[in-house]
């Protein structure tokens, strides 16, 4: 049961982080400059967000087992941490450009 709750919470947090990275990267692309890194962040976040939405859909439909393996929870947590680091870098870059 704990794995199911952790997996669900991490999936919702992952969707929120992916959306935040998409918004921050989109702002950087709109401001101009070197567009390759923000576009790469946007692509990675779009894939990650879509995969997290698919995980949530499977869990709600009953296709996913209530006790997800511990490694899956660890993977969700690691990917969430990577997206939070990406978000921090993008926000720092936005502050540099704004000032």
């Amino acid at each position: 049961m704990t794995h199911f709750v952790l997996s669900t919470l991490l999936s919702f947090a992952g969707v929120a982080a992916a959306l935040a990275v998409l918004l921050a990267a989109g702002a950087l692309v709109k401001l101009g400059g070197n567009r390759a890194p923000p576009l790469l962040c946007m692509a990675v976040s779009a894939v990650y967000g879509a995969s997290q939405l698919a995980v949530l859909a499977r869990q709600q439909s009953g296709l996913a087992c209530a006790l997800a393996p511990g490694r899956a929870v660890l993977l969700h947590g690691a990917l969430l941490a990577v997206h939070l680091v990406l978000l921090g870098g993008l926000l720092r870059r936005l502050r540099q450009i704004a000032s």
Side-chain angles (χ1 to χ4, degrees), residues 14-66:
V15 170
L19 185 60
V21 169
L22 282 170
L23 291 173
L28 276 174
V29 167
K30 188 170 182 151
L31 289 174
N34 187 4
R35 294 183 177 190
L39 287 174
L40 181 61
C41 287
M42 288 177 77
V44 169
S45 290
V47 170
Y48 175 63
S51 71
Q52 291 306 300
L53 288 174
V55 166
L56 288 169
R58 280 195 313 268
Q59 285 178 347
Q60 191 214 1
S61 68
L63 293 176
C65 178

Side-chain angles (χ1 to χ4, degrees), residues 1 7 10-11 16 18 21 30-31 35-36 46-47 53 65 68 70 73 80 82-83 88 90 96:
M1 183 68 171
S7 177
L10 287 173
S11 293
V21 169
K30 188 170 182 151
L31 289 174
R35 294 183 177 190
V47 170
L53 288 174
C65 178
V73 171
L80 176 61
V82 166
H83 272 73
L90 289 170
Q96 288 174 351

